[in-house]
Amino acid sequence: MTAPEGGVGLDAALSDRLREQVVGRRREVELVLAALLAGRHMLLEGPPGTGKSTLLRGLAQAAGLPFEFVEGNAELTPARLVGHHDPSRVMSEGYAEEVFVDGPLSAAMRSGALLYVEEINRVPEETLNVLITVMSEGELHVPRLGRLVAADGFRLVAAMNPFDAVGTARIASAIYDRTCRVRMDYQDAEDETEIVRRNAARVAVDDGFRAQVVDLVRRTRSHPDVRVGSSVRGAIDLVLVAAALAGLRKAAPVDPAVSLDAALTALSGRLRMQEGSSRTAEDVVRELWAQVFGPPPPGAEEDEAPGEARRPGPAYRRARPAQTPPGCSAPT
């Protein structure tokens, strides 16, 4: 698989060149690279925020290969994927090849590009059937356009989250049968800390604080009340929000009141609780924050409204629910 003129193409040294763009993932990079060199289509499967898009974009950039991106969703129809004839020009020129507007699939087939379909298990079945045909035959018949043959180098790389995530469905076995699959799970703490450092490099925070933030985020993935925990994106946001909030409050990001509020802001929306759990995402964030950073600061607790019974449990359970953070004014 070669790159356009001036590019470098896929080769054995690509995994080394990718180190500047992809943290860790050497094994996954080698597996994806091997499959593409072998002329196979790929399926990257794993939870959100595990670097599936980052890996493939970095690979295409490092190899100098053309790259087409498709966001998988329920509105992705075959016409949006393949392309369409421009209605305004059809009226005057007819159904000529020149009036056909390429969709991402047609563009990738013509240029021999990597076609990256994100969240393939959110794509309607009729659209998936188009992809199955292309993967099997390397060509596509477009009504009133004719036969479209994939140029050398065309590869389909799809990504998907676990099928039990909200809004997803099991994909047909025909997709699995036509792809090589690489499972991508969360990386280790050291790699995730490096990812946070690179993506929050514009703010100055202590290395120890950064490591604690990553520890907190990783704990959300194994909490018994949480169905889906936060990805490393939550750690990046927590560091950035903590740095900005510290500036507003004339404090340090490591200040307990700052880091707790930053954690609630960055993480509570990312957690998906187990069905039937009586706890909120805020409860879990406070609990895990206390495990990592110690007891919550005095300002993080308030008495309940008059007549409201105090809930039993440790201090972090008595922290006030999602109300106005300390130091901020309530909306009027």
Side-chain angles (χ1 to χ4, degrees), residues 5-331:
E5 186 176 352
V8 292
L10 296 177
D11 55 48
L14 182 59
S15 59
D16 293 325
R17 297 198 299 271
L18 269 173
R19 289 183 182 179
E20 293 298 317
Q21 297 160 281
V22 180
V23 177
R25 296 291 188 203
R26 187 173 184 87
R27 174 180 176 272
E28 289 87 348
V29 167
E30 290 176 344
L31 293 175
V32 171
L33 178 57
L36 294 178
L37 285 171
R40 302 298 90 193
H41 302 293
M42 290 294 303
L43 177 64
L44 306 180
E45 185 173 345
T50 47
K52 300 183 291 293
S53 300
T54 301
L55 187 155
L56 192 64
R57 286 182 183 276
L59 187 149
Q61 182 177 349
L65 298 172
F67 182 86
E68 293 285 341
F69 173 80
V70 177
E71 181 181 353
N73 54 54
E75 287 72 44
L76 183 63
T77 63
R80 290 181 176 179
L81 180 66
V82 176
H84 64 279
H85 288 88
D86 184 341
S88 62
R89 296 184 61 187
V90 167
M91 296 295 292
S92 58
E93 303 175 47
Y95 288 98
E97 183 175 357
E98 296 76 30
V99 304
F100 186 79
V101 180
D102 281 343
L105 174 58
S106 299
M109 292 178 68
R110 292 183 193 273
S111 62
L114 292 179
L115 176 67
Y116 179 55
V117 182
E118 190 176 55
E119 309 253 19
I120 193 172
N121 51 340
R122 299 182 188 272
V123 175
E125 184 176 0
E126 64 173 339
T127 308
L128 289 179
N129 290 338
V130 175
L131 293 174
I132 290 173
T133 301
V134 173
M135 286 190 288
S136 298
E137 308 298 333
E139 62 181 44
L140 183 65
H141 180 78
V142 182
R144 294 177 175 173
L145 177 66
R147 179 167 168 259
L148 184 61
V149 179
D152 181 48
F154 168 77
R155 302 287 186 274
L156 170 69
V157 182
M160 62 178 281
N161 298 329
F163 72 87
D164 59 346
V166 175
T168 63
R170 292 181 184 271
I171 63 173
S173 58
I175 296 288
Y176 281 112
D177 191 48
R178 289 164 173 80
T179 57
C180 292
R181 173 180 174 272
V182 172
R183 168 73 181 178
M184 293 181 62
D185 212 331
Y186 295 111
Q187 292 169 266
D188 60 30
E190 182 178 351
D191 281 349
E192 291 199 336
T193 302
E194 174 61 17
I195 292 171
V196 174
R197 187 192 67 77
R198 291 189 185 188
N199 287 272
R202 61 184 176 85
V203 299
V205 296
D206 181 79
D207 289 343
F209 176 71
R210 191 183 297 113
Q212 285 179 301
V213 167
V214 170
D215 183 19
L216 168 58
V217 167
R218 292 174 65 84
R219 289 172 185 250
T220 66
R221 303 168 194 162
S222 58
H223 193 283
D225 288 313
V226 177
R227 180 169 62 88
V228 180
S230 173
S231 72
V232 71
R233 295 190 188 107
I236 295 168
D237 284 2
L238 201 165
V239 168
L240 293 174
V241 171
L245 187 59
L248 292 174
R249 295 182 177 175
K250 310 299 183 187
V254 296
D255 182 281
V258 171
S259 64
L260 176 55
D261 278 342
L264 290 168
T265 301
L267 302 181
S268 61
R270 287 180 158 93
L271 305 190
R272 298 293 177 265
M273 307 303 293
Q274 296 282 9
E275 292 185 13
S277 174
S278 61
R279 304 190 66 189
T280 67
E282 288 81 2
D283 286 334
V284 172
V285 172
R286 288 190 181 94
E287 173 189 343
L288 297 178
W289 182 93
Q291 291 177 8
V292 174
F293 291 95
E301 296 187 32
E302 285 184 0
D303 291 331
E304 285 76 9
E308 180 180 335
R310 181 182 292 276
R311 291 187 298 169
Y316 58 78
R317 292 295 304 275
R318 299 199 302 270
R320 63 181 182 346
Q323 297 175 351
T324 307
C328 297
S329 299

